[in-house]
Amino acid sequence: MVGLPRVASRVRRVRRARWLRRALLVAALGAVLTGAVTGASVVWVRSGAAGHTYTVEDVPEAPVALVLGAQVDPGGQPSAFLAARLEIARQLLAAGKVHAVLVSGDHMEWGYDEPGAMRTWLVDRGVPAPKVVLDHAGFDTYDSCARARRIFGVRKATVVTQSFHLARAVTLCRTLGVEANGVGDETAKRYAPLWRRGVVREYGAGVKAACDVLSRRDPVYLGRRETGVDDALRS
């Protein structure tokens, strides 16, 4: 009877070792799968945008600039990243490279209004108010691109965002039916920690974008067709 506790202890050790080996194998397989999925999404994003990113000076003309939303600080002031995007849109409109600006962002809560802050910024800097169209339900890049096509009837656009985000934005828009080129901001690189965070975030965001496309999900809000872009182009 004295040997039974030793045998039981050995069995427990064997079982723990077996469980640990299985856990390590599952973790290794998970890491490989995650890497493969992330790598595939990076290839898809970059190949989809290849040949479709430009500077303000050399981007082809398009009817509309689609400016993607970003953080608005307390008091309704666009963050430095968002202001840089809006400045590019202002330059495109002034140069005749676009003829209207669709600002798409988050207005889920009454007290937080990205599109409203974007329009105010542009109008305060000389952009005619009728040329600025608001999309209040651009909760992410996929929704902004999908709504540009399905709600506002945009078929061709110049997408404006930071350069680290540009390939994903252009690829999503083109996949969702908008003939899109893009212009990316580089000036916000001076905010190095935030810029690095954005670069790293793109790996996960690319996987989400691929899942959104594969699932063919609807935007959070759809609603009826809006004529704001048509009206802005006629004004």
Side-chain angles (χ1 to χ4, degrees):
M1 299 295 292
V2 177
L4 287 178
R6 293 180 180 175
V7 171
S9 177
R10 180 178 297 176
V11 170
R12 285 195 296 270
R13 287 198 301 271
V14 169
R15 286 176 176 172
R16 281 198 297 268
R18 213 175 266 169
W19 180 89
L20 181 59
R21 285 196 297 270
R22 288 174 180 170
L24 289 173
L25 178 60
V26 169
L29 290 174
V32 170
L33 180 60
T34 299
V37 170
T38 302
S41 68
V42 168
V43 171
W44 169 67
V45 164
R46 292 180 179 175
S47 61
H52 298 292
T53 59
Y54 298 87
T55 65
V56 171
E57 292 73 26
D58 62 12
V59 67
E61 186 177 340
V64 185
L66 171 60
V67 186
L68 301 176
Q71 180 180 331
V72 170
D73 295 331
Q77 185 67 24
S79 63
F81 278 63
L82 182 53
R85 301 178 188 188
L86 294 167
E87 173 58 22
I88 288 175
R90 188 196 66 77
Q91 292 177 19
L92 289 171
L93 191 67
K97 293 296 186 78
V98 300
H99 307 286
V101 180
L102 175 60
V103 293
S104 180
D106 186 349
H107 193 188
M108 179 75 79
E109 298 179 4
W110 182 256
Y112 183 79
D113 182 3
E114 288 179 3
M118 294 160 79
R119 178 174 63 179
T120 297
W121 192 99
L122 288 167
V123 172
D124 285 349
R125 285 155 182 81
V127 174
K131 291 293 184 181
V132 184
V133 184
L134 279 67
D135 174 12
H136 291 279
F139 300 124
D140 62 15
T141 306
Y142 179 92
D143 282 21
S144 291
C145 292
R147 284 177 54 82
R149 179 67 183 88
R150 296 172 65 179
I151 301 301
F152 293 93
V154 175
R155 295 180 178 275
K156 185 176 183 180
T158 298
V159 184
V160 181
T161 183
Q162 265 67 49
S163 59
F164 62 75
H165 176 208
L166 190 61
R168 176 165 60 93
V170 168
T171 296
L172 274 172
C173 279
R174 295 185 73 85
T175 303
L176 295 170
V178 179
E179 184 186 340
N181 293 310
V183 177
D185 166 66
E186 294 272 331
T187 65
K189 274 187 175 179
R190 65 183 181 273
Y191 305 100
L194 291 175
W195 188 276
R196 286 194 297 269
R197 188 184 307 168
V199 170
V200 171
R201 179 180 174 276
E202 278 303 301
Y203 290 99
V207 174
K208 178 186 179 299
C211 291
D212 285 339
V213 168
L214 289 172
S215 69
R216 299 182 180 180
R217 74 167 177 86
D218 285 332
V220 174
Y221 291 118
L222 268 174
R224 61 172 181 253
R225 173 80 159 81
E226 295 188 21
T227 63
V229 169
D230 300 325
D231 297 339
L233 291 173
R234 284 194 295 266
S235 67

